Amino acid sequence: MNNKIDQLAADNIRALAISMVEKANSGHPGGSMGGADFMHILYSEYLKYDPTDMHWIFRDRFFMDAGHLSALMYAQYHLLGNYEKSDLQNFRQWGSVTPGHPEIDVKRGVENTSGPLGQGHAMGVGAAIAAKFLSARFENLFDHKIYGFITDGGVQEEISQGAGRIAGHLGLNNFIMFYDSNDVQLSSMTDEVTTENTAMKYKSWGWNVITIDGHDHTQIRSALTDAHNESEKPTLIIGRTIMGKGCVTADGTMYEGQCELHGKPIGATKADFDKTLLNLGAKIEDSFAVYEEVATYYETILAQKTKEAADRKSQIAVWESKNSALAQKMKQFFSGDLPALDFSSITQKPNAATRDASAAVLGYLAENVENMIVSSADLSNSDKTDGFLKKSSVLQKNNFNGGFLQAGVAELTMAAIANGIALHGGVIPVVATFFVFSDYMKPAIRLAAIQELPVKYVWTHDSFRVGEDGPTHQPIEQEAQIRLLEKIKNHSGDQSLLALRPADAVETSVAWQMALENKKTPTGLILSRQDIKDIPTVGSSRFDDASQAKKGGYLVKSTPNSDITLIANGSEVATLIEAAAEIEKTIKIKINVASIISEGLFRSQSASYQESVIPKGALVFGLTAGLPVNLESLVGSNGKVFGLDHFGYSAPASVLDQKFGFTSKNAAEEIIKYLKENNF
């Protein structure tokens, strides 16, 4: 323990952080200055990782919730050698590796993308769940710690309620969160916003809570040591810190704890940037420099961490040599490779609701995929994830042998936790709720898309046919919203989300196969509550036919030189097949029907394939239980879409089908009307 070097290191972090913000003329310096002491002690003395192998699966992980404190992270990681001086000087600039809010970059130490407050620590909870799950299967090898860093804003975001409740309920003693409590928010002081007792709140959820002076290094060490020794509960360390710690005015007067220090460059406040640099021991002419003593100290820290990791790796190598089968399984879990699966072998009941078809698949997966955690927002018996639960068990405090997480009514928290599970690695997360409640999940779905995480979403009750539950539970605009993410490219240039709405039970099996094989982006399965008539088999088997859905769309009814193509997805495909049969009884016409399970995937196919399904310039009619925009770009400028432009009503599904015009008879009438409009 060297009090002088610890203070120098913390002040060096402060100087680097404010220099980044000042040069960029953008960012959040005050909180970065306040959190510097904790970060230095954590990274120099507690956090275990291998500087030569940043993706080492047994590393501790740090999840930043307060993404606006990116300058704090980059400054700390610069001391560790993860960022160059030039990287810090290009903070928030085009093409830099130091964006305004941290974006996942494990090789430089950034474990998660953060910025939307509250989600970062919920992802940390997910990672802690994944570690517990894996430890239960691999003789407690995954006993590493997950650290979180949160601020007043993250604690206030509603998602903290769900994350705190779940972490406490599950007894995640491997999760340690530092709460940077400095009484300052971006636009006000916290006492203008809240009077809650945060410590009591977390204690009521079953957390170990420790309150300290967040600038006292001895107290920080004591709190972290206590948290490490805690065997039953997650730990919240409330660090009382000072916003803008170390800031001074032009005449050298201390100027700390002020609201304006939160979100402005120091030079744009009543504090003086140059005088503050001097107060921190930095050089005005080279404010991005690492202090000589600090650089020497961190060289020893890196050497020590490398040695500790090498020793740990040697121990794990001995374990692997004695447990070759388990070691191979662990390697398979983290590679993302699936075991041999035969989705065609899954027995589907005739004319089943696609949520029931999904249950059959989940039952099969429970028996064949060992590294899957399935979660439901208190709806497992309705979204049919109980197909998995019946062949597994619920995750519980001190018992993570099962694979089902009962999240309770907390869709956003559940989705953010799934992101954390995926970020940890080694585990496939699946989360489920009613499709209308994807609205609650959207912020986490977006972060999954940005981070390119292979989370699987199960969204059931996919249309107004929820019936008696009425407009609050009947999704109308949700498919359009989700499919927007199919139109957005992620930073790898891929479609950022795959949305699949299967047309029948067997196509649901194929959709699940597509979801599991998609390792690059999140996948959403949009499933029906009501039964759907099976699509007639055309080839050797319905499964072979439905496997064409892997191209995003295919013809379920095909006639050479067709006069019109009818397109839909989900339950409307069967309606169009019936409508086509009714029309063909009265009109001499050739009709094709296509199931377009994913427009985004379909658009990625060759132009010739797309035209083989939906011919250019031909008559195209679309049917959707959602907004017409779902299919408008597919039918083209000459096409027509019959959909909904209003919310639902409370009534039995069959009545709503009649009232809204979603019977095969009405569909046939609409198609004939469209044909007449085009002089057919």
Side-chain angles (χ1 to χ4, degrees):
M1 187 185 304
N2 185 324
N3 293 334
K4 178 184 176 183
I5 195 66
D6 289 331
Q7 190 60 53
L8 274 175
D11 284 344
N12 201 168
I13 292 169
R14 293 183 177 101
L16 291 169
I18 66 172
S19 295
M20 279 183 265
V21 175
E22 201 74 18
K23 187 173 187 299
N25 195 30
S26 174
H28 299 261
S32 298
M33 300 176 81
D37 297 286
F38 177 81
M39 286 291 277
H40 163 66
I41 298 299
L42 174 65
Y43 270 89
S44 63
E45 299 181 26
Y46 287 86
L47 194 134
K48 298 175 182 177
Y49 74 103
D50 185 353
T52 69
D53 181 11
M54 296 296 286
H55 288 85
W56 184 39
I57 63 174
F58 297 102
R59 68 189 183 277
D60 289 345
R61 289 157 172 81
F62 176 85
F63 280 78
M64 175 59 83
D65 188 272
H68 59 281
L69 300 187
S70 58
L72 171 61
M73 296 180 71
Y74 302 147
Q76 175 66 70
Y77 297 168
H78 178 47
L79 298 187
L80 294 165
N82 297 353
Y83 288 91
E84 301 295 332
K85 184 178 184 178
S86 59
D87 295 331
L88 273 57
Q89 292 170 326
N90 285 313
F91 178 59
R92 289 184 167 232
Q93 304 308 301
W94 173 262
S96 76
V97 294
T98 48
H101 290 82
E103 296 172 23
I104 181 171
D105 187 355
V106 175
K107 71 178 181 179
R108 293 186 176 87
V110 182
E111 297 282 358
N112 64 295
T113 296
S114 58
L117 294 179
Q119 289 197 58
H121 83 297
M123 287 187 268
V125 171
I129 290 170
K132 288 282 189 183
F133 177 91
L134 292 165
S135 266
R137 285 149 180 80
F138 297 105
E139 300 182 359
N140 202 36
L141 280 184
F142 293 87
D143 59 349
H144 49 266
K145 300 297 183 184
I146 310 298
Y147 297 94
F149 189 111
I150 199 166
T151 57
D152 293 290
V155 169
Q156 289 165 25
E157 275 288 358
E158 291 89 340
I159 191 174
S160 69
Q161 158 91 20
R165 171 181 57 80
I166 291 170
H169 177 70
L170 292 177
L172 299 179
N173 66 303
N174 58 340
F175 187 60
I176 301 168
M177 184 163 70
F178 179 74
Y179 167 29
D180 185 56
S181 177
N182 55 35
D183 297 328
V184 181
Q185 305 199 183
L186 179 62
S187 64
S188 71
M189 305 301 285
T190 56
D191 62 8
E192 297 177 45
V193 175
T194 181
T195 54
E196 75 174 15
N197 187 322
T198 302
M200 289 293 287
K201 180 173 71 173
Y202 276 84
K203 284 179 182 177
S204 75
W205 287 328
W207 286 58
N208 171 37
V209 180
I210 306 167
T211 302
I212 62 170
D213 177 344
H215 300 302
D216 186 313
H217 297 173
T218 299
Q219 290 188 39
I220 293 171
R221 288 188 184 94
S222 177
L224 284 169
T225 299
D226 287 350
H228 273 247
N229 293 333
E230 172 59 53
S231 61
E232 294 291 324
K233 303 174 181 179
T235 294
L236 177 70
I237 300 171
I238 301 177
R240 299 292 300 157
T241 63
I242 299 171
M243 174 69 69
K245 174 70 173 174
C247 283
V248 297
T249 61
D251 64 5
T253 304
M254 296 305 299
Y255 187 75
E256 301 173 324
Q258 303 299 315
C259 185
E260 68 169 342
L261 296 173
H262 189 299
K264 291 181 182 180
I266 296 302
T269 71
K270 295 183 183 68
D272 185 88
F273 176 66
D274 287 348
K275 289 295 179 66
T276 297
L277 284 176
L278 293 174
N279 186 51
L280 296 171
K283 298 175 182 177
I284 295 174
E285 67 275 12
D286 190 9
S287 65
F288 285 94
V290 176
Y291 306 167
E292 187 174 337
E293 291 177 72
V294 174
T296 301
Y297 179 65
Y298 265 89
E299 286 177 6
T300 65
I301 293 297
L302 289 171
Q304 180 182 342
K305 290 188 182 297
T306 301
K307 181 183 182 303
E308 290 173 351
D311 292 343
R312 174 69 167 153
K313 286 182 175 181
S314 295
Q315 295 170 4
I316 291 169
V318 171
W319 178 88
E320 288 176 336
S321 67
K322 294 178 180 178
N323 300 274
S324 57
L326 275 178
Q328 184 58 39
K329 182 183 293 185
M330 184 167 62
K331 186 180 294 185
Q332 181 241 313
F333 282 10
F334 277 87
S335 71
D337 293 337
L338 296 168
L341 299 171
D342 182 5
F343 287 86
S344 68
S345 69
I346 299 170
T347 301
Q348 294 290 6
K349 294 180 180 178
N351 307 315
T354 51
R355 65 167 176 165
D356 293 325
S358 174
V361 177
L362 283 167
Y364 173 79
L365 296 176
E367 295 177 325
N368 291 280
V369 180
E370 297 179 65
N371 63 325
M372 181 179 286
I373 292 178
V374 176
S375 185
S376 174
D378 193 38
L379 290 168
S380 60
N381 56 346
S382 198
D383 59 33
K384 298 301 179 181
T385 48
D386 60 358
F388 186 95
L389 177 56
K390 289 172 182 175
K391 297 183 178 180
S392 183
S393 59
V394 174
L395 299 177
Q396 299 175 347
K397 182 178 181 178
N398 298 323
N399 183 356
F400 283 74
N401 294 310
F404 198 92
L405 172 62
Q406 291 285 22
V409 186
E411 290 87 354
L412 174 57
T413 305
M414 175 181 69
I417 283 174
N419 290 346
I421 291 171
L423 285 167
H424 181 280
V427 186
I428 301 168
V430 177
V431 292
T433 187
F434 290 176
F435 192 30
V436 74
F437 300 137
S438 64
D439 285 351
Y440 284 134
M441 303 168 72
K442 183 62 163 48
I445 298 168
R446 186 171 190 269
L447 274 190
I450 289 173
Q451 294 178 98
E452 303 177 21
L453 302 177
V455 178
K456 321 301 176 189
Y457 305 107
V458 176
W459 292 312
T460 66
H461 297 60
D462 68 346
S463 72
F464 64 83
R465 298 179 184 92
V466 174
E468 292 88 345
D469 281 344
T472 59
H473 283 54
Q474 294 173 17
I476 305 298
E477 74 279 15
Q478 279 70 24
E479 184 179 352
Q481 293 171 348
I482 290 299
R483 291 205 184 276
L484 285 175
L485 286 170
E486 287 201 315
K487 300 178 187 297
I488 298 174
K489 294 282 197 297
N490 58 32
H491 286 172
S492 294
D494 297 317
Q495 174 186 324
S496 72
L497 178 138
L498 177 63
L500 305 172
R501 188 167 178 245
D504 67 0
V506 175
E507 201 172 291
T508 303
S509 293
V510 173
W512 260 112
Q513 182 180 8
M514 294 165 69
L516 283 178
E517 292 176 353
N518 178 21
K519 303 175 187 178
K520 299 196 296 183
T521 66
T523 304
L525 298 166
I526 304 170
L527 307 171
S528 75
R529 177 199 187 194
Q530 81 285 356
D531 292 344
I532 299 175
K533 289 186 179 179
D534 290 336
I535 304 301
T537 299
V538 176
S540 58
S541 72
R542 174 64 191 131
F543 187 85
D544 286 345
D545 290 350
S547 293
Q548 296 175 80
K550 293 178 181 179
K551 293 183 177 180
Y554 67 107
L555 292 174
V556 295
K557 179 182 183 300
S558 178
T559 305
N561 303 313
S562 65
D563 298 304
I564 185 173
T565 300
L566 313 180
I567 67 170
N569 58 43
S571 53
E572 290 85 85
V573 176
T575 303
L576 286 179
I577 289 175
E578 289 188 342
E582 292 184 25
I583 294 170
E584 288 170 337
K585 289 176 184 176
T586 57
I587 301 175
K588 189 175 182 181
I589 189 173
K590 296 177 180 179
I591 302 176
N592 282 356
V593 180
S595 171
I596 311 296
I597 193 171
S598 163
E599 180 185 352
L601 186 56
F602 180 69
R603 291 298 193 194
S604 72
Q605 306 304 315
S606 67
S608 60
Y609 179 76
Q610 291 184 53
E611 191 164 349
S612 72
V613 177
I614 306 176
K616 280 186 180 178
L619 298 179
V620 184
F621 179 92
L623 181 67
T624 174
L627 294 173
V629 71
N630 290 340
L631 299 176
E632 282 176 350
S633 67
L634 286 166
V635 303
S637 58
N638 295 323
K640 181 179 181 180
V641 178
F642 184 85
L644 291 177
D645 61 359
H646 57 79
F647 291 120
Y649 292 87
S650 178
S654 58
V655 174
L656 295 177
D657 270 328
Q658 292 285 341
K659 297 293 185 181
F660 294 167
F662 281 82
T663 62
S664 58
K665 179 181 178 182
N666 189 72
E669 291 173 355
E670 291 291 334
I671 293 164
I672 291 171
K673 187 189 304 181
Y674 169 62
L675 289 169
K676 290 179 178 178
E677 290 170 356
N678 286 271
N679 302 314
F680 185 88

